[in-house]
Amino acid sequence: GAGVSQSPSNKVTEKGKDVELRCDPISGHTALYWYRQSLGQGLEFLIYFQGNSAPDKSGLPSDRFSAERTGGSVSTLTIQRTQQEDSAVYLCASSLVFLIGQGGEETQYFGPGTRLLVL
Amino acid sequence: AQSVAQPEDQVNVAEGNPLTVKCTYSVSGNPYLFWYVQYPNRGLQFLLKYITGDNLVKGSYGFEAEFNKSQTSFHLKKPSALVSDSALYFCAVRALEGYNKLIFGAGTRLAVHP
């Protein structure tokens, strides 16, 4: 079946502009994750959604970063007033429901990423 | 704090030879461990995972990994490397707190030469 899709695949923007990155998870996956991959920081967790709620936002680097998910499906990561240090590949992943407190584990499947360059 | 270490930035191996990509972890309790592979300009592809049970885990594309609790290691192996295996490999551990988020190693670039 179809995997996780992300758009755009590449985005070049000027410092100070806002950007929106989109993630379309695998159909039926209720858990959705955003990660960032950068040269200096490696792969780092940003935010997790279960359905439309985000119980874990601990990885968002600043209040310029926000994310939402609607209809339990598509998610949008928004970066306001972009800075050059925001340049990175933003990866989205999805998994089947993660049962909190029950020690559940579900494999995360990743999309191709959005490569963001802030000039 | 949980962490994952991949001690080699790059591993070079000749086609047909066995390959090993090393991973060690630090986590309290029982770890959930994963290997992912990333090809150029692509996302991460899941290779295999260890949750519980047999210490030798088999995954996609002929890869396998051995969980060693005493050495806190989860090395990725393949008996016979292919040129097409050349890629960036990431080891990850599931965080004990939080909601299934993954903590990744820095990655190891595997280069398989003909």
Side-chain angles (χ1 to χ4, degrees):
Chain A
V4 177
S5 61
Q6 293 185 246
S7 61
S9 54
N10 290 281
K11 177 71 176 180
V12 181
T13 190
E14 294 178 350
K15 177 181 173 181
K17 301 280 191 181
D18 297 352
V19 295
E20 284 189 354
L21 312 180
R22 176 188 168 108
C23 172
D24 219 322
I26 293 172
S27 178
H29 281 192
T30 59
L32 186 147
Y33 313 78
W34 284 97
Y35 293 84
R36 179 168 71 173
Q37 184 176 19
S38 57
L39 281 177
Q41 301 297 323
L43 265 161
E44 49 182 348
F45 167 81
L46 297 178
I47 187 170
Y48 158 75
F49 284 93
Q50 180 60 45
N52 292 335
S53 65
D56 189 350
K57 306 178 183 179
S58 62
L60 294 178
S62 76
D63 58 8
R64 296 187 296 104
F65 287 73
S66 63
E68 66 175 11
R69 189 178 184 195
T70 55
S73 181
V74 171
S75 175
T76 302
L77 177 68
T78 301
I79 309 173
Q80 296 178 310
R81 305 180 303 281
T82 52
Q83 303 294 313
Q84 289 182 331
E85 62 263 27
D86 299 335
S87 297
V89 177
Y90 289 82
L91 293 166
C92 176
S94 71
S95 72
L96 291 169
V97 62
F98 175 70
L99 302 177
I100 298 170
Q102 298 185 32
E105 175 282 327
E106 296 293 353
T107 300
Q108 295 178 32
Y109 296 93
F110 284 79
T114 293
R115 187 175 299 273
L116 175 66
L117 178 61
V118 182
L119 300 177
Chain B
Q2 297 124 54
S3 64
V4 175
Q6 294 181 241
E8 301 154 318
D9 290 336
Q10 178 150 335
V11 170
N12 297 296
V13 64
E15 187 175 30
N17 282 1
L19 68 87
T20 298
V21 182
K22 296 180 180 177
C23 171
T24 59
Y25 64 89
S26 174
V27 64
S28 56
N30 296 319
Y32 291 0
L33 296 158
F34 302 81
W35 275 102
Y36 285 85
V37 59
Q38 186 176 37
Y39 296 98
N41 299 315
R42 303 278 296 276
L44 274 66
Q45 293 182 29
F46 169 73
L47 278 180
L48 51 78
K49 65 185 177 186
Y50 172 82
I51 305 302
T52 186
D54 194 348
N55 289 344
L56 185 63
V57 179
K58 294 188 182 296
S60 306
Y61 313 120
F63 283 93
E64 58 189 29
E66 185 167 12
F67 171 65
N68 188 316
K69 188 172 184 178
S70 63
Q71 297 185 4
T72 62
S73 67
F74 189 56
H75 300 333
L76 181 70
K77 300 181 180 184
K78 187 174 182 180
S80 179
L82 300 173
V83 173
S84 57
D85 292 330
S86 299
L88 188 57
Y89 290 80
F90 289 95
C91 182
V93 64
R94 196 198 85 175
L96 292 180
E97 72 281 353
Y99 298 83
N100 204 26
K101 64 184 177 186
L102 296 175
I103 299 169
F104 286 89
T108 297
R109 188 164 299 281
L110 173 66
V112 182
H113 305 284

